[in-house]
């Protein structure tokens, strides 16, 4: 009857026996569960917070919730002083229409072509259009 409900944010079981309360609680379908308490899981900020069914719109709090609120990104910093990476002139703004596409195609082929001959042709294309 309880698990037939379309909501399942949190559940609590009260019992004189902690073991019996855990056994019952493990059968309940909810996002959070406590034995002999009703609100401690709401107060512990290091626990993920969220439910199942109609109450299950992801998690927040805890490591899981923190990841959902973060923007994961890569940050790269030059480690060798004086060495700078520049954008090749055929694909730098303003883009050279005659050289830009063949240069970009050669660059992609250099990295992703599986044949050695394709990579060699790509190198010559970079030299020709660069």
């Amino acid at each position: 009857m309880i698990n037939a409900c379309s909501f399942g944010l949190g559940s609590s079981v009260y019992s004189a026996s902690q073991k019996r309360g855990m056994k019952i609680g493990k059968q309940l379908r909810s996002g959070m569960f406590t034995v002999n308490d009703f609100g401690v899981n709401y107060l512990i900020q290091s626990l993920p917070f969220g439910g199942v069914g109609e109450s299950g719109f992801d998690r927040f709090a805890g490591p899981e919730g923190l990841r959902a609120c973060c923007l994961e990104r890569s940050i790269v910093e030059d480690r060798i002083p004086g060495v700078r990476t520049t954008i090749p002139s055929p694909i730098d703004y303003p883009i050279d229409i005659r050289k830009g596409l063949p240069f970009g195609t050669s660059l992609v082929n250099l990295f992703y072509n599986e044949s050695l001959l394709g990579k060699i042709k790509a190198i010559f294309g970079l030299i020709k259009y660069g």
Side-chain angles (χ1 to χ4, degrees):
M1 183 170 109
I2 293 172
N3 289 337
C5 178
S6 61
F7 297 95
L9 182 59
S11 60
S12 299
V13 171
Y14 293 87
S15 174
S17 166
Q18 185 85 5
K19 186 176 178 181
R20 182 170 185 254
M22 283 298 290
K23 185 177 178 182
I24 294 170
K26 286 181 180 181
Q27 297 175 41
L28 299 177
R29 193 171 167 267
S30 65
M32 301 168 287
F33 165 69
T34 56
V35 178
N36 295 331
D37 199 308
F38 73 94
V40 71
N41 51 354
Y42 298 98
L43 301 174
I44 302 172
Q45 293 297 305
S46 61
L47 293 176
F49 182 92
V52 297
E54 297 282 330
S55 297
F57 298 106
D58 212 357
R59 297 280 185 265
F60 63 91
E64 295 82 0
L66 186 59
R67 283 188 198 103
C69 296
C70 292
L71 169 66
E72 294 184 31
R73 62 183 175 161
S74 300
I75 298 175
V76 180
E77 182 180 22
D78 288 334
R79 296 177 63 181
I80 304 170
V83 176
R84 299 185 140 267
T85 306
T86 59
I87 297 173
S89 59
I91 56 174
D92 196 6
Y93 185 80
I95 295 176
D96 184 340
I97 297 171
R98 293 172 289 115
K99 294 182 177 181
L101 184 59
F103 182 87
T105 302
S106 297
L107 191 59
V108 169
N109 280 320
L110 176 64
F111 290 114
Y112 297 107
N113 197 306
E114 294 181 5
S115 74
L116 181 61
L117 181 61
K119 290 185 183 288
I120 292 170
K121 286 181 180 179
I123 291 171
F124 282 109
L126 291 174
I127 292 168
K128 180 178 178 181
Y129 298 107

